[in-house]
Amino acid sequence: MSTSQPAETLDAVIVGAGLAGLYMLHKLRALGLSARVFEAGSGIGGTWFWNRYPGARVDIESVQYSYAFDEKLQDEWRWSERYATQAELLRYVDHVADRFDLRRDIVLNTRVESAHYDEARDEYAVRTSRGDALRARFFIMAVGCLSSTNTPKFPGLESFRGAKYHTGNWPQTPPDFTGKRVAVIGTGSSAIQSIPLIAEQAAHLTVFQRTPNYSVPAHNGPMPREVEERVRANYAAFRAEAAQRGFGADFRDNPATAFSVSDAEREAEYEARWAYGGLGFLGAYADLMFDAKANETAAEFLRSKIRSIVKDPATAELLCPKTPVGCKRLCVDTGYYATYNRPNVTLVSVKDAPIERITLNGLVTGGREYEVDCIVFATGFDAMTGSLVRVDIRGRGGRSLREKWEAGPTTYLGVATEGFPNYFMITGPGSPSVLSNMLPSIEHHVNWIARCIDDLRKRGAKRIDARKDAEDAWVVHVNEVAHTSLYPNCNSWYLGSNVPGKPRVFMPYLGVPPYRAKCEEVRRNGYEGFAIT
Ligand code: NA7
């Protein structure tokens, strides 16, 4: 489109057709607004579109990881497994898009490249990779927290003659590892889910581990119908109750503290939670993420499990994390540790001998070359900010978001950032996002944003911008809360420490109930902390 043509004007442009973007579109339409979603992928689904690696599935039980906004949708959808696979989640997303006729306002295969705020018109001038030029009063990033993949810049990366894959950008046609020598780099959640399945196919699998992670068994299986029926019988109350929990999910939280019970009772509690499976392991005691000694009891329990499963003591020791449990996101697996008992699987620690380079035939660490046919990068994401600053977003005075956030993201409530009027982020840094059940957090943000836009319209207001003092106070508060916990005590993507050079700032907000209360209070007080004109 040439720049001389008048740009199409919409009420809102939304970036990303994942669970957040789809619901945002639905809500804005319900307000009678015009909105369009741009999506870089060739299909909708966001996380569930891109992360197709073997074993990819949600780590929160599906009855909790689903939209709550429409009762009929909730009633008609049935999950086949306790933890849905990526493929089933994608079917769910497709079903939602069809059911609410969302596709006609979604443009695929198109990246939004820039969004520049025009102060004279209170609009964003938006440009896409296809050459579209649009104008929109509201610009909404619904790009997800884990969508900008991180591939370490190993020397020689391009020289490798075999196939390279990233778990977060997996090919649509699944690669066949049969008879292949495969390297997996990384041992985060994506690696832990995929390694058992890759090992079943590959001739040999070598896992390159920098930091071991804790993992608890999923004990996945067909959705127990009695569980589903129990939840469904009172779904609204079940969800409301979960929203009162710290992570916004039902982890069967125990209000007791770890040392308020005997050693034997504590051990029995951990055993019961291990047997049940899933992230609820961390709900065993209220102080596990706040008291290092309490945490160590859970950590040691998990280490003892690793030692009991993995037969080779040296491998078991390498797999035992030394950091607090939960400080990096706890993983949920199916047969991860037992995979190291297979004769075709080798674990190589790159903690003290980092990967030096990639070669024509493999990779070099500790002065030794490991020859492989394929490399799987399970090396995670430039989390929470990567996809936001990848777009050239400019606010008042042409100020760029990328520059504003050079020393780390600053937001008000994780939904807005000062100097960028009418710009919203769904589950942005400074909101519970990745420290919560993502889907209810997405719905909460979308509802809040939609209501805000509607309130502005009713007031006849054209512009809303976070105030600097409110943003500064929020940033301090997010940090203070984080530092009451053990979360900032280890290198994790919550802190940005997985990406070299990224500022070390704790990004998510810890605590769903106080966060939601604050958002509600801000709204009730006429959007306190925002300037509205
Ligand atoms: P993660 O959890 O960030 O895991 C990435 C892994 O890759 C982790 O083990 C990293 O080690 C490792 N890594 C990263 N860079 C390197 C280099 N240079 N050398 C060796 N190893 C490296 O990403 P996932 O995709 O597994 O999971 C992301 C989230 O998605 C997960 O938490 C769930 O919420 C779903 P490190 O720990 O940094 O030493």
PDB file of all heavy atoms in Angstrom, residues 278-311:
ATOM      1  N   GLY A 278       1.561 -33.148  39.551  1.00  0.00           N
ATOM      2  CA  GLY A 278       1.261 -31.782  39.107  1.00  0.00           C
ATOM      3  C   GLY A 278       1.810 -30.690  39.998  1.00  0.00           C
ATOM      4  O   GLY A 278       2.429 -30.936  41.044  1.00  0.00           O
ATOM      5  N   LEU A 279       1.558 -29.443  39.554  1.00  0.00           N
ATOM      6  CA  LEU A 279       2.117 -28.262  40.218  1.00  0.00           C
ATOM      7  C   LEU A 279       1.623 -28.076  41.641  1.00  0.00           C
ATOM      8  O   LEU A 279       2.220 -27.335  42.423  1.00  0.00           O
ATOM      9  CB  LEU A 279       1.783 -27.001  39.407  1.00  0.00           C
ATOM     10  CG  LEU A 279       2.457 -26.885  38.031  1.00  0.00           C
ATOM     11  CD1 LEU A 279       1.975 -25.622  37.308  1.00  0.00           C
ATOM     12  CD2 LEU A 279       3.979 -26.840  38.174  1.00  0.00           C
ATOM     13  N   GLY A 280       0.526 -28.764  41.982  1.00  0.00           N
ATOM     14  CA  GLY A 280      -0.013 -28.687  43.342  1.00  0.00           C
ATOM     15  C   GLY A 280       0.966 -29.205  44.381  1.00  0.00           C
ATOM     16  O   GLY A 280       0.752 -29.013  45.575  1.00  0.00           O
ATOM     17  N   PHE A 281       2.074 -29.788  43.926  1.00  0.00           N
ATOM     18  CA  PHE A 281       3.105 -30.207  44.879  1.00  0.00           C
ATOM     19  C   PHE A 281       3.506 -29.017  45.745  1.00  0.00           C
ATOM     20  O   PHE A 281       3.725 -29.148  46.952  1.00  0.00           O
ATOM     21  CB  PHE A 281       4.332 -30.775  44.135  1.00  0.00           C
ATOM     22  CG  PHE A 281       5.413 -31.230  45.063  1.00  0.00           C
ATOM     23  CD1 PHE A 281       5.362 -32.495  45.639  1.00  0.00           C
ATOM     24  CD2 PHE A 281       6.459 -30.381  45.408  1.00  0.00           C
ATOM     25  CE1 PHE A 281       6.344 -32.904  46.538  1.00  0.00           C
ATOM     26  CE2 PHE A 281       7.443 -30.784  46.292  1.00  0.00           C
ATOM     27  CZ  PHE A 281       7.387 -32.048  46.863  1.00  0.00           C
ATOM     28  N   LEU A 282       3.584 -27.851  45.123  1.00  0.00           N
ATOM     29  CA  LEU A 282       4.038 -26.652  45.850  1.00  0.00           C
ATOM     30  C   LEU A 282       2.964 -26.075  46.776  1.00  0.00           C
ATOM     31  O   LEU A 282       3.237 -25.152  47.537  1.00  0.00           O
ATOM     32  CB  LEU A 282       4.510 -25.574  44.866  1.00  0.00           C
ATOM     33  CG  LEU A 282       5.894 -25.827  44.255  1.00  0.00           C
ATOM     34  CD1 LEU A 282       6.209 -24.759  43.210  1.00  0.00           C
ATOM     35  CD2 LEU A 282       6.978 -25.844  45.330  1.00  0.00           C
ATOM     36  N   GLY A 283       1.764 -26.625  46.695  1.00  0.00           N
ATOM     37  CA  GLY A 283       0.708 -26.186  47.610  1.00  0.00           C
ATOM     38  C   GLY A 283       0.788 -26.909  48.943  1.00  0.00           C
ATOM     39  O   GLY A 283      -0.040 -26.693  49.835  1.00  0.00           O
ATOM     40  N   ALA A 284       1.801 -27.778  49.104  1.00  0.00           N
ATOM     41  CA  ALA A 284       1.896 -28.602  50.310  1.00  0.00           C
ATOM     42  C   ALA A 284       1.942 -27.758  51.579  1.00  0.00           C
ATOM     43  O   ALA A 284       1.285 -28.079  52.571  1.00  0.00           O
ATOM     44  CB  ALA A 284       3.120 -29.515  50.228  1.00  0.00           C
ATOM     45  N   TYR A 285       2.728 -26.675  51.542  1.00  0.00           N
ATOM     46  CA  TYR A 285       2.807 -25.790  52.717  1.00  0.00           C
ATOM     47  C   TYR A 285       2.840 -24.335  52.255  1.00  0.00           C
ATOM     48  O   TYR A 285       3.415 -24.011  51.208  1.00  0.00           O
ATOM     49  CB  TYR A 285       4.046 -26.117  53.569  1.00  0.00           C
ATOM     50  CG  TYR A 285       3.912 -27.490  54.165  1.00  0.00           C
ATOM     51  CD1 TYR A 285       4.619 -28.565  53.645  1.00  0.00           C
ATOM     52  CD2 TYR A 285       3.004 -27.713  55.204  1.00  0.00           C
ATOM     53  CE1 TYR A 285       4.428 -29.846  54.144  1.00  0.00           C
ATOM     54  CE2 TYR A 285       2.808 -28.991  55.706  1.00  0.00           C
ATOM     55  CZ  TYR A 285       3.518 -30.052  55.178  1.00  0.00           C
ATOM     56  OH  TYR A 285       3.300 -31.307  55.663  1.00  0.00           O
ATOM     57  N   ALA A 286       2.241 -23.483  53.105  1.00  0.00           N
ATOM     58  CA  ALA A 286       2.061 -22.083  52.712  1.00  0.00           C
ATOM     59  C   ALA A 286       3.383 -21.327  52.624  1.00  0.00           C
ATOM     60  O   ALA A 286       3.460 -20.298  51.949  1.00  0.00           O
ATOM     61  CB  ALA A 286       1.127 -21.394  53.706  1.00  0.00           C
ATOM     62  N   ASP A 287       4.425 -21.825  53.315  1.00  0.00           N
ATOM     63  CA  ASP A 287       5.673 -21.049  53.360  1.00  0.00           C
ATOM     64  C   ASP A 287       6.765 -21.586  52.422  1.00  0.00           C
ATOM     65  O   ASP A 287       7.899 -21.132  52.479  1.00  0.00           O
ATOM     66  CB  ASP A 287       6.213 -20.976  54.801  1.00  0.00           C
ATOM     67  CG  ASP A 287       6.373 -22.345  55.447  1.00  0.00           C
ATOM     68  OD1 ASP A 287       5.869 -23.332  54.877  1.00  0.00           O
ATOM     69  OD2 ASP A 287       6.990 -22.419  56.524  1.00  0.00           O
ATOM     70  N   LEU A 288       6.419 -22.521  51.553  1.00  0.00           N
ATOM     71  CA  LEU A 288       7.467 -23.134  50.721  1.00  0.00           C
ATOM     72  C   LEU A 288       8.196 -22.125  49.844  1.00  0.00           C
ATOM     73  O   LEU A 288       9.394 -22.262  49.597  1.00  0.00           O
ATOM     74  CB  LEU A 288       6.892 -24.254  49.843  1.00  0.00           C
ATOM     75  CG  LEU A 288       6.494 -25.537  50.562  1.00  0.00           C
ATOM     76  CD1 LEU A 288       6.077 -26.607  49.578  1.00  0.00           C
ATOM     77  CD2 LEU A 288       7.627 -26.052  51.449  1.00  0.00           C
ATOM     78  N   MET A 289       7.477 -21.106  49.372  1.00  0.00           N
ATOM     79  CA  MET A 289       8.142 -20.130  48.499  1.00  0.00           C
ATOM     80  C   MET A 289       8.609 -18.891  49.269  1.00  0.00           C
ATOM     81  O   MET A 289       9.045 -17.914  48.672  1.00  0.00           O
ATOM     82  CB  MET A 289       7.217 -19.707  47.347  1.00  0.00           C
ATOM     83  CG  MET A 289       6.981 -20.776  46.301  1.00  0.00           C
ATOM     84  SD  MET A 289       8.468 -21.667  45.753  1.00  0.00           S
ATOM     85  CE  MET A 289       9.479 -20.360  45.075  1.00  0.00           C
ATOM     86  N   PHE A 290       8.518 -18.973  50.614  1.00  0.00           N
ATOM     87  CA  PHE A 290       8.872 -17.785  51.399  1.00  0.00           C
ATOM     88  C   PHE A 290       9.943 -18.062  52.438  1.00  0.00           C
ATOM     89  O   PHE A 290      10.551 -17.131  52.955  1.00  0.00           O
ATOM     90  CB  PHE A 290       7.599 -17.221  52.074  1.00  0.00           C
ATOM     91  CG  PHE A 290       6.586 -16.778  51.064  1.00  0.00           C
ATOM     92  CD1 PHE A 290       5.591 -17.639  50.624  1.00  0.00           C
ATOM     93  CD2 PHE A 290       6.655 -15.507  50.509  1.00  0.00           C
ATOM     94  CE1 PHE A 290       4.678 -17.245  49.658  1.00  0.00           C
ATOM     95  CE2 PHE A 290       5.738 -15.092  49.546  1.00  0.00           C
ATOM     96  CZ  PHE A 290       4.747 -15.965  49.116  1.00  0.00           C
ATOM     97  N   ASP A 291      10.154 -19.311  52.765  1.00  0.00           N
ATOM     98  CA  ASP A 291      11.102 -19.645  53.822  1.00  0.00           C
ATOM     99  C   ASP A 291      12.087 -20.680  53.256  1.00  0.00           C
ATOM    100  O   ASP A 291      11.691 -21.785  52.865  1.00  0.00           O
ATOM    101  CB  ASP A 291      10.305 -20.216  55.011  1.00  0.00           C
ATOM    102  CG  ASP A 291      11.208 -20.674  56.151  1.00  0.00           C
ATOM    103  OD1 ASP A 291      12.358 -21.089  55.896  1.00  0.00           O
ATOM    104  OD2 ASP A 291      10.759 -20.631  57.305  1.00  0.00           O
ATOM    105  N   ALA A 292      13.361 -20.310  53.232  1.00  0.00           N
ATOM    106  CA  ALA A 292      14.368 -21.162  52.576  1.00  0.00           C
ATOM    107  C   ALA A 292      14.452 -22.540  53.237  1.00  0.00           C
ATOM    108  O   ALA A 292      14.609 -23.555  52.551  1.00  0.00           O
ATOM    109  CB  ALA A 292      15.724 -20.468  52.605  1.00  0.00           C
ATOM    110  N   LYS A 293      14.321 -22.569  54.559  1.00  0.00           N
ATOM    111  CA  LYS A 293      14.440 -23.864  55.245  1.00  0.00           C
ATOM    112  C   LYS A 293      13.236 -24.754  54.924  1.00  0.00           C
ATOM    113  O   LYS A 293      13.381 -25.970  54.735  1.00  0.00           O
ATOM    114  CB  LYS A 293      14.537 -23.659  56.757  1.00  0.00           C
ATOM    115  CG  LYS A 293      15.922 -23.174  57.169  1.00  0.00           C
ATOM    116  CD  LYS A 293      16.117 -23.355  58.652  1.00  0.00           C
ATOM    117  CE  LYS A 293      17.538 -22.989  59.024  1.00  0.00           C
ATOM    118  NZ  LYS A 293      17.595 -22.149  60.214  1.00  0.00           N
ATOM    119  N   ALA A 294      12.068 -24.148  54.900  1.00  0.00           N
ATOM    120  CA  ALA A 294      10.867 -24.910  54.542  1.00  0.00           C
ATOM    121  C   ALA A 294      11.019 -25.440  53.118  1.00  0.00           C
ATOM    122  O   ALA A 294      10.748 -26.621  52.839  1.00  0.00           O
ATOM    123  CB  ALA A 294       9.634 -24.009  54.639  1.00  0.00           C
ATOM    124  N   ASN A 295      11.492 -24.576  52.250  1.00  0.00           N
ATOM    125  CA  ASN A 295      11.657 -24.967  50.848  1.00  0.00           C
ATOM    126  C   ASN A 295      12.614 -26.146  50.725  1.00  0.00           C
ATOM    127  O   ASN A 295      12.388 -27.076  49.942  1.00  0.00           O
ATOM    128  CB  ASN A 295      12.160 -23.768  50.034  1.00  0.00           C
ATOM    129  CG  ASN A 295      12.206 -24.070  48.548  1.00  0.00           C
ATOM    130  OD1 ASN A 295      13.094 -24.787  48.084  1.00  0.00           O
ATOM    131  ND2 ASN A 295      11.246 -23.536  47.806  1.00  0.00           N
ATOM    132  N   GLU A 296      13.673 -26.110  51.533  1.00  0.00           N
ATOM    133  CA  GLU A 296      14.695 -27.162  51.443  1.00  0.00           C
ATOM    134  C   GLU A 296      14.098 -28.543  51.768  1.00  0.00           C
ATOM    135  O   GLU A 296      14.541 -29.554  51.214  1.00  0.00           O
ATOM    136  CB  GLU A 296      15.874 -26.809  52.364  1.00  0.00           C
ATOM    137  CG  GLU A 296      17.010 -27.821  52.424  1.00  0.00           C
ATOM    138  CD  GLU A 296      17.625 -28.195  51.064  1.00  0.00           C
ATOM    139  OE1 GLU A 296      17.508 -27.416  50.102  1.00  0.00           O
ATOM    140  OE2 GLU A 296      18.222 -29.295  50.983  1.00  0.00           O
ATOM    141  N   THR A 297      13.072 -28.595  52.619  1.00  0.00           N
ATOM    142  CA  THR A 297      12.463 -29.908  52.920  1.00  0.00           C
ATOM    143  C   THR A 297      11.811 -30.486  51.665  1.00  0.00           C
ATOM    144  O   THR A 297      11.919 -31.683  51.399  1.00  0.00           O
ATOM    145  CB  THR A 297      11.418 -29.816  54.057  1.00  0.00           C
ATOM    146  OG1 THR A 297      10.334 -28.966  53.633  1.00  0.00           O
ATOM    147  CG2 THR A 297      12.016 -29.290  55.347  1.00  0.00           C
ATOM    148  N   ALA A 298      11.155 -29.604  50.902  1.00  0.00           N
ATOM    149  CA  ALA A 298      10.508 -30.066  49.660  1.00  0.00           C
ATOM    150  C   ALA A 298      11.565 -30.391  48.609  1.00  0.00           C
ATOM    151  O   ALA A 298      11.448 -31.394  47.882  1.00  0.00           O
ATOM    152  CB  ALA A 298       9.561 -28.988  49.140  1.00  0.00           C
ATOM    153  N   ALA A 299      12.609 -29.550  48.558  1.00  0.00           N
ATOM    154  CA  ALA A 299      13.672 -29.756  47.568  1.00  0.00           C
ATOM    155  C   ALA A 299      14.358 -31.098  47.816  1.00  0.00           C
ATOM    156  O   ALA A 299      14.599 -31.878  46.886  1.00  0.00           O
ATOM    157  CB  ALA A 299      14.677 -28.610  47.645  1.00  0.00           C
ATOM    158  N   GLU A 300      14.638 -31.378  49.084  1.00  0.00           N
ATOM    159  CA  GLU A 300      15.344 -32.625  49.406  1.00  0.00           C
ATOM    160  C   GLU A 300      14.448 -33.843  49.117  1.00  0.00           C
ATOM    161  O   GLU A 300      14.928 -34.878  48.651  1.00  0.00           O
ATOM    162  CB  GLU A 300      15.828 -32.606  50.866  1.00  0.00           C
ATOM    163  CG  GLU A 300      16.779 -33.729  51.249  1.00  0.00           C
ATOM    164  CD  GLU A 300      17.939 -33.996  50.266  1.00  0.00           C
ATOM    165  OE1 GLU A 300      18.450 -33.035  49.658  1.00  0.00           O
ATOM    166  OE2 GLU A 300      18.314 -35.177  50.093  1.00  0.00           O
ATOM    167  N   PHE A 301      13.144 -33.675  49.356  1.00  0.00           N
ATOM    168  CA  PHE A 301      12.215 -34.766  49.018  1.00  0.00           C
ATOM    169  C   PHE A 301      12.309 -35.080  47.515  1.00  0.00           C
ATOM    170  O   PHE A 301      12.406 -36.235  47.112  1.00  0.00           O
ATOM    171  CB  PHE A 301      10.780 -34.372  49.386  1.00  0.00           C
ATOM    172  CG  PHE A 301       9.762 -35.384  48.935  1.00  0.00           C
ATOM    173  CD1 PHE A 301       9.455 -36.482  49.731  1.00  0.00           C
ATOM    174  CD2 PHE A 301       9.133 -35.258  47.698  1.00  0.00           C
ATOM    175  CE1 PHE A 301       8.533 -37.438  49.302  1.00  0.00           C
ATOM    176  CE2 PHE A 301       8.209 -36.205  47.265  1.00  0.00           C
ATOM    177  CZ  PHE A 301       7.909 -37.292  48.062  1.00  0.00           C
ATOM    178  N   LEU A 302      12.321 -34.027  46.713  1.00  0.00           N
ATOM    179  CA  LEU A 302      12.366 -34.242  45.253  1.00  0.00           C
ATOM    180  C   LEU A 302      13.714 -34.818  44.834  1.00  0.00           C
ATOM    181  O   LEU A 302      13.780 -35.692  43.960  1.00  0.00           O
ATOM    182  CB  LEU A 302      12.063 -32.935  44.509  1.00  0.00           C
ATOM    183  CG  LEU A 302      10.625 -32.417  44.683  1.00  0.00           C
ATOM    184  CD1 LEU A 302      10.439 -31.090  43.960  1.00  0.00           C
ATOM    185  CD2 LEU A 302       9.601 -33.440  44.168  1.00  0.00           C
ATOM    186  N   ARG A 303      14.785 -34.354  45.469  1.00  0.00           N
ATOM    187  CA  ARG A 303      16.103 -34.924  45.141  1.00  0.00           C
ATOM    188  C   ARG A 303      16.135 -36.418  45.483  1.00  0.00           C
ATOM    189  O   ARG A 303      16.691 -37.218  44.746  1.00  0.00           O
ATOM    190  CB  ARG A 303      17.218 -34.164  45.865  1.00  0.00           C
ATOM    191  CG  ARG A 303      17.453 -32.762  45.284  1.00  0.00           C
ATOM    192  CD  ARG A 303      18.730 -32.126  45.819  1.00  0.00           C
ATOM    193  NE  ARG A 303      18.570 -31.615  47.166  1.00  0.00           N
ATOM    194  CZ  ARG A 303      18.336 -30.339  47.500  1.00  0.00           C
ATOM    195  NH1 ARG A 303      18.262 -29.405  46.563  1.00  0.00           N
ATOM    196  NH2 ARG A 303      18.207 -29.972  48.755  1.00  0.00           N
ATOM    197  N   SER A 304      15.499 -36.778  46.592  1.00  0.00           N
ATOM    198  CA  SER A 304      15.508 -38.201  46.963  1.00  0.00           C
ATOM    199  C   SER A 304      14.729 -39.014  45.929  1.00  0.00           C
ATOM    200  O   SER A 304      15.068 -40.161  45.639  1.00  0.00           O
ATOM    201  CB  SER A 304      14.955 -38.405  48.377  1.00  0.00           C
ATOM    202  OG  SER A 304      13.559 -38.220  48.364  1.00  0.00           O
ATOM    203  N   LYS A 305      13.683 -38.419  45.361  1.00  0.00           N
ATOM    204  CA  LYS A 305      12.924 -39.106  44.301  1.00  0.00           C
ATOM    205  C   LYS A 305      13.809 -39.315  43.074  1.00  0.00           C
ATOM    206  O   LYS A 305      13.784 -40.383  42.456  1.00  0.00           O
ATOM    207  CB  LYS A 305      11.686 -38.287  43.909  1.00  0.00           C
ATOM    208  CG  LYS A 305      10.587 -38.347  44.923  1.00  0.00           C
ATOM    209  CD  LYS A 305       9.969 -39.741  44.960  1.00  0.00           C
ATOM    210  CE  LYS A 305       8.856 -39.838  45.970  1.00  0.00           C
ATOM    211  NZ  LYS A 305       8.503 -41.212  46.327  1.00  0.00           N
ATOM    212  N   ILE A 306      14.576 -38.275  42.722  1.00  0.00           N
ATOM    213  CA  ILE A 306      15.457 -38.386  41.540  1.00  0.00           C
ATOM    214  C   ILE A 306      16.452 -39.523  41.787  1.00  0.00           C
ATOM    215  O   ILE A 306      16.655 -40.391  40.928  1.00  0.00           O
ATOM    216  CB  ILE A 306      16.196 -37.054  41.274  1.00  0.00           C
ATOM    217  CG1 ILE A 306      15.189 -35.938  40.963  1.00  0.00           C
ATOM    218  CG2 ILE A 306      17.212 -37.209  40.132  1.00  0.00           C
ATOM    219  CD1 ILE A 306      15.777 -34.531  40.892  1.00  0.00           C
ATOM    220  N   ARG A 307      17.031 -39.545  42.982  1.00  0.00           N
ATOM    221  CA  ARG A 307      18.036 -40.577  43.296  1.00  0.00           C
ATOM    222  C   ARG A 307      17.408 -41.973  43.283  1.00  0.00           C
ATOM    223  O   ARG A 307      18.077 -42.948  42.954  1.00  0.00           O
ATOM    224  CB  ARG A 307      18.675 -40.295  44.667  1.00  0.00           C
ATOM    225  CG  ARG A 307      19.556 -39.047  44.643  1.00  0.00           C
ATOM    226  CD  ARG A 307      20.158 -38.748  46.024  1.00  0.00           C
ATOM    227  NE  ARG A 307      20.835 -37.463  46.004  1.00  0.00           N
ATOM    228  CZ  ARG A 307      20.526 -36.426  46.786  1.00  0.00           C
ATOM    229  NH1 ARG A 307      19.564 -36.526  47.695  1.00  0.00           N
ATOM    230  NH2 ARG A 307      21.199 -35.296  46.689  1.00  0.00           N
ATOM    231  N   SER A 308      16.126 -42.052  43.657  1.00  0.00           N
ATOM    232  CA  SER A 308      15.500 -43.379  43.687  1.00  0.00           C
ATOM    233  C   SER A 308      15.101 -43.843  42.274  1.00  0.00           C
ATOM    234  O   SER A 308      15.003 -45.046  42.027  1.00  0.00           O
ATOM    235  CB  SER A 308      14.279 -43.382  44.616  1.00  0.00           C
ATOM    236  OG  SER A 308      13.229 -42.674  44.004  1.00  0.00           O
ATOM    237  N   ILE A 309      14.899 -42.896  41.371  1.00  0.00           N
ATOM    238  CA  ILE A 309      14.463 -43.292  40.010  1.00  0.00           C
ATOM    239  C   ILE A 309      15.667 -43.565  39.103  1.00  0.00           C
ATOM    240  O   ILE A 309      15.690 -44.551  38.359  1.00  0.00           O
ATOM    241  CB  ILE A 309      13.580 -42.178  39.370  1.00  0.00           C
ATOM    242  CG1 ILE A 309      12.310 -41.961  40.184  1.00  0.00           C
ATOM    243  CG2 ILE A 309      13.246 -42.528  37.915  1.00  0.00           C
ATOM    244  CD1 ILE A 309      11.517 -40.709  39.788  1.00  0.00           C
ATOM    245  N   VAL A 310      16.668 -42.673  39.166  1.00  0.00           N
ATOM    246  CA  VAL A 310      17.788 -42.758  38.212  1.00  0.00           C
ATOM    247  C   VAL A 310      18.834 -43.723  38.754  1.00  0.00           C
ATOM    248  O   VAL A 310      19.381 -43.529  39.847  1.00  0.00           O
ATOM    249  CB  VAL A 310      18.376 -41.346  37.963  1.00  0.00           C
ATOM    250  CG1 VAL A 310      19.551 -41.416  36.995  1.00  0.00           C
ATOM    251  CG2 VAL A 310      17.294 -40.407  37.434  1.00  0.00           C
ATOM    252  N   LYS A 311      19.123 -44.771  37.962  1.00  0.00           N
ATOM    253  CA  LYS A 311      19.954 -45.864  38.491  1.00  0.00           C
ATOM    254  C   LYS A 311      21.423 -45.486  38.621  1.00  0.00           C
ATOM    255  O   LYS A 311      22.090 -45.898  39.565  1.00  0.00           O
ATOM    256  CB  LYS A 311      19.805 -47.094  37.600  1.00  0.00           C
ATOM    257  CG  LYS A 311      18.389 -47.648  37.671  1.00  0.00           C
ATOM    258  CD  LYS A 311      18.302 -49.047  37.103  1.00  0.00           C
ATOM    259  CE  LYS A 311      16.871 -49.550  37.241  1.00  0.00           C
ATOM    260  NZ  LYS A 311      16.265 -49.890  35.960  1.00  0.00           N
TER     261      LYS A 311
END
